[in-house]
Structures are given as structure tokens and as C-alpha cells.
Amino acid sequence: MTDAKSTRVFLMTLLTMLGMCGIVVLCSLSPLSTLGEHANQFGDSGMFSALLGVAAPYLVPGILLASGFWAAKIVLAVVHGVFFLGSAAVGITAFILWQTLFSAQPDAAMIGLLLCCAATAVLHIVWFPMAFLKEKR
């Protein structure tokens, strides 16, 4: 690590990656996993490949950033922007489907999914000033 700011940015990147992985797992546990023939079921190989597809875009530039390659921050900004849109879209879509198809029946996985989507979207937003604003000395 080059400095304390890079360490904080890297840790926030790991936290947002865990949030996105949580969204994948909670989607596979929720009633959404019953929709469509290609939906990920919990513990299925599709879920694990989705987790790898979520983790890789965070980890590769995150490791480069941790090793001092400053341009990786720009790549991470693109990754965070795309996954922010993804977490917001999953949250909105899950809420609409929950209200229409599942009659808003109480479901812990669905509520957890909505909370995880909201928290992950907030973490993505917080990442940008943490990564790009200069610290006051």
C-alpha cells in the first residue's frame, strides 16, 4: 500500500464488493429465484459463477491500486459506477416484482435483498468522494 488513503479506498472497495456478492446470494435465496429457467438457485454453480463475475471486476483493479498503480483508481471508478447502477436497478426491480407478483408477503430474504441493495448503493456513492477528494491537512 502506498498510503493511508489508498488503504481506505481499497477497504471500501472490498466492502462494496461484499455488498454486491450479498445481493447475488440474497437474490438466489429470495422468491426471485423461482422466476425463469435461468435464475440462480442458492448453492448452484450459476450462483458461484455470478459471484466470481461480481468479485473479479473489483479485485483486479483493487489489487493494482493497492500495489501503487494510480490509474487503477479510474478503472475502479467505472466499476463502481456500473455496479451502483446495477445495485439500484436490482433493488427497484426486486421491489416492483415483490409488490406485483408476490403480493408483498413478508419474506426475510426479500427484505434483506432490498436493504442490501440500498446499503450497497450508498456505499458506492460514498466511495467516490473517498477516492477522489483531497484530504485536508
Side-chain angles (χ1 to χ4, degrees):
M1 294 277 173
T2 56
D3 59 355
K5 184 175 180 177
S6 292
T7 303
R8 287 193 308 271
V9 171
F10 180 70
L11 290 176
M12 181 61 96
T13 299
L14 289 179
L15 192 60
T16 55
M17 180 196 72
L18 289 175
M20 289 303 292
C21 289
I23 289 172
V24 170
V25 171
L26 287 169
C27 276
S28 69
L29 288 170
S30 73
L32 296 176
S33 65
T34 62
L35 300 176
E37 62 185 58
H38 298 293
N40 289 336
Q41 300 293 323
F42 183 75
D44 194 13
S45 62
M47 184 192 83
F48 291 110
S49 64
L51 286 172
L52 181 64
V54 165
Y58 284 103
L59 288 177
V60 173
I63 291 170
L64 290 173
L65 178 68
S67 65
F69 187 62
W70 67 269
K73 192 186 294 187
I74 305 302
V75 175
L76 276 173
V78 172
V79 169
H80 279 270
V82 168
F83 280 106
F84 163 73
L85 293 175
S87 64
V90 168
I92 291 168
T93 304
F95 181 75
I96 290 170
L97 288 174
W98 186 36
Q99 294 297 314
T100 56
L101 296 179
F102 305 114
S103 302
Q105 298 170 351
D107 185 56
M110 201 64 157
I111 293 169
L113 172 63
L114 294 174
L115 291 174
C116 189
C117 287
T120 304
V122 168
L123 287 173
H124 279 103
I125 292 170
V126 168
W127 183 89
F128 283 96
M130 180 182 282
F132 291 107
L133 290 181
K134 296 192 184 316
E135 294 178 349
K136 293 181 182 178
R137 299 241 176 216

